[in-house]
Amino acid sequence: MKIMILGGNGFIGSRLVYFLSSKCEVCSMDKYPPSVEIENVHYIVGDYFDTDFLRNVLSDVDVVIYSIGLLNPTNSKDNYRVGYEKEMSQLLTLCQMMLERKQKLIFISSGGTVYGNQEKDILDEDSPTFPINHYGGVKLCMENVIRIFALQMGMRACIARISNPYGEGQDYHKGVGFIDAVIRKALLGEEIEVWGDGEIKRDYIYIDDVCNMLYALCNYEGSQIIFNISTGVGTTQNQVLAIVSQQIGTISVKYVPARSIDVKSNILCNERICSICDIQPIELHEGIKKYINYLANK
């Protein structure tokens, strides 16, 4: 199996490249070359939005993993047109290419934003979707395009709604990554800023578990299209702060007014993905310990 990762230099993309490099033939495409190259990986530098270029680089792959994102929850309020106009338009082109070649698409969506605020404690793939920011709105629109291509036209596709990933390769300066920000600032003795009262609850999943689950989707040939990629366990920001404090020592925290773009609680049922991927996600305190050691060694 030959897998192409679009956006191979990003947080999820770069870890996927590393994870998959020992399992199959891997191509990584991004606008710029990676800072570090992995042996046996074919790196391609180019513009995903150049249709002729895209057609050429996808000519001989079996699976395409879409890990491109022009927006994040923070900047989507001002830059939403880029997502709806540019990213949506090129997705139509990509789907048409993949349909013609009978290739499979794995689309990395945002389980943390497409569901919005809900009454249910744990959300499964059939829960209603009510995004409250344009980042989630764009992801849901792209999901619907892919879903219709799959259901009406027979395109092979899976949609991966990832909860809140953390771990090696993340950088909170890019607009996401609460755990990353807490650990980095704690190690440097800097003040940690929390939006709201710290009771926002999230389903944090270690990046290596994400990669395992995505690899299972590459091999999946069943009828389901949408999969939550998650642990099924919710943790508040205050609980994250307590875990980091136990492992690093006293940390400085400043609470500031909450943001309207943040969902109050987001915990995703992972029964569907676990039915095709035999994995027990790493518990949060162990994952945080592992990530602290990684950053400290760096």
Side-chain angles (χ1 to χ4, degrees), residues 18-36:
Y18 172 80
F19 178 86
L20 295 173
S21 63
S22 62
K23 300 181 180 299
C24 56
E25 188 175 355
V26 179
C27 297
S28 172
M29 194 222 80
D30 215 310
K31 197 169 184 179
Y32 304 102
S35 56
V36 178

Side-chain angles (χ1 to χ4, degrees), residues 42-282:
H42 179 46
Y43 290 95
I44 301 171
V45 177
D47 186 1
Y48 162 76
F49 295 96
D50 180 336
T51 298
D52 289 336
F53 167 80
L54 184 64
R55 183 176 291 109
N56 289 332
V57 299
L58 296 184
S59 61
D60 62 343
V61 301
D62 302 303
V63 178
V64 173
I65 300 179
Y66 186 103
S67 187
I68 292 172
L70 302 182
L71 301 177
N72 61 53
T74 302
N75 69 21
S76 66
K77 183 178 180 180
D78 298 319
N79 300 334
Y80 59 88
R81 296 187 73 93
V82 174
Y84 291 114
E85 294 176 356
K86 187 174 183 179
E87 206 170 350
M88 280 285 296
S89 175
Q90 190 66 348
L91 177 68
L92 293 170
T93 301
L94 174 65
C95 288
Q96 186 62 46
M97 288 181 191
M98 304 202 68
L99 181 63
E100 292 170 355
R101 297 170 179 175
K102 296 181 172 56
Q103 296 164 318
K104 184 173 184 177
L105 176 63
I106 308 295
F107 177 72
I108 294 181
S109 187
S110 171
T113 61
V114 298
Y115 291 108
N117 287 314
Q118 305 261 356
E119 294 297 325
K120 292 170 60 178
D121 290 331
I122 300 180
L123 308 174
D124 61 28
E125 292 84 351
D126 296 321
S127 297
T129 48
F130 299 106
I132 64 171
N133 58 55
H134 283 297
Y135 174 74
V138 170
K139 288 293 188 184
L140 185 59
C141 286
M142 295 175 78
E143 281 192 17
N144 284 331
V145 167
I146 293 166
R147 185 176 54 82
I148 293 170
F149 263 92
L151 293 176
Q152 289 194 353
M153 304 165 78
M155 185 180 76
R156 298 167 61 221
C158 287
I159 294 166
R161 290 177 175 169
I162 303 177
S163 55
N164 285 76
Y166 69 99
E168 288 94 324
Q170 193 168 42
D171 183 356
Y172 75 92
H173 291 98
K174 295 181 179 179
V176 291
F178 179 73
I179 288 179
D180 180 63
V182 170
I183 294 175
R184 288 178 188 267
K185 291 189 174 186
L187 288 171
L188 294 172
E190 297 177 358
E191 185 176 69
I192 299 161
E193 196 170 71
V194 176
W195 299 88
D197 60 5
E199 289 305 301
I200 283 179
K201 189 176 290 185
R202 294 289 181 268
D203 185 332
Y204 297 103
I205 181 168
Y206 202 78
I207 186 62
D208 291 350
D209 292 332
V210 172
C211 292
N212 261 306
M213 293 177 180
L214 291 176
Y215 182 56
L217 292 184
C218 291
N219 293 287
Y220 174 71
E221 295 296 342
S223 60
Q224 298 289 354
I225 297 175
I226 300 174
F227 290 82
N228 287 337
I229 306 297
S230 62
T231 67
V233 178
T235 306
T236 67
Q237 292 177 324
N238 286 328
Q239 289 172 321
V240 170
L241 293 168
I243 294 171
V244 174
S245 179
Q246 289 170 0
Q247 299 193 25
I248 293 179
T250 303
I251 57 179
S252 175
V253 181
K254 177 184 178 182
Y255 293 89
V256 298
R259 304 181 300 181
S260 62
I261 63 171
D262 292 324
V263 173
K264 296 176 182 178
S265 178
N266 183 263
I267 310 168
L268 307 185
C269 175
N270 65 0
E271 290 182 4
R272 183 175 292 178
I273 187 63
C274 288
S275 71
I276 66 168
C277 179
D278 186 16
I279 179 176
Q280 182 64 42
I282 186 172

